[in-house]
Amino acid sequence: MVSGTRRLISSGSTFERMVGYSRALVDGDDVFVSGTTGFDYATMTIDPDPVVQTRQCFANITQALSQAGCTLADVVRVRYLLTDASLFETLGPVFGEHFAEIRPAATAMVVGLVDARMKIEIEVQARRQRA
């Protein structure tokens, strides 16, 4: 806990400690989930299949949102960072499985990621619903 309504959420990833960031940060009703890759944080392994990585990204994001008192239905913004534009056609349907009904604002970009095993990174912003 830093102060006031700001709360830090960790996945337990060694990357968070090494680099000095949080998996997610809750600030009032806003929840910011850091760029999340397809690593399984329990085993610190990553599957080479981009579809499997994408599903793991969503599992990791869902876990972080849950700790913040949210679900994917609360996501208002998503950014997809792909290492190759050709992945979009394959991964787009996986995105749709999670967001077809929610339809947050979205951006997809082609980027270089810090580990060659990573094919995708997903970042979301959510707004917690008031009771």
Side-chain angles (χ1 to χ4, degrees), residues 10 16 19-20 28 30 42-43 47 55 58-59 83 89-90 100 111 115 118-119 126:
S10 175
E16 293 171 33
V19 178
D30 293 313
T43 62
D47 193 288
R55 292 189 190 290
F58 278 108
T83 58
E89 188 173 341
T90 301
V111 302
D115 184 322
M118 299 171 184
K119 304 301 179 203

Side-chain angles (χ1 to χ4, degrees), residues 8-25:
L8 307 178
I9 295 171
S10 175
S11 68
S13 162
T14 57
F15 298 132
E16 293 171 33
R17 283 188 304 277
M18 180 178 74
V19 178
Y21 75 98
S22 296
R23 171 63 37 221
L25 181 143

Side-chain angles (χ1 to χ4, degrees), residues 3-9 23-34 64-65 67-71 74-77 124-130:
S3 67
T5 62
R6 184 175 156 148
R7 182 167 55 98
L8 307 178
I9 295 171
R23 171 63 37 221
L25 181 143
V26 179
D27 188 5
D29 291 329
D30 293 313
V31 179
F32 304 91
V33 180
S34 293
L65 289 171
Q67 291 178 55
C70 291
T71 69
D74 298 308
V75 171
V76 297
R77 181 76 159 118
V124 303
Q125 181 176 348
R127 171 143 311 224
R128 295 191 305 172
Q129 302 299 314
R130 294 178 186 237

Side-chain angles (χ1 to χ4, degrees), residues 14 17 23 29 53 56 65 78 80 84 93 99 107 115 122:
T14 57
R17 283 188 304 277
R23 171 63 37 221
D29 291 329
Q53 285 189 29
Q56 185 65 50
L65 289 171
V78 60
Y80 302 106
D84 186 321
F99 287 133
T107 301
D115 184 322
I122 303 173

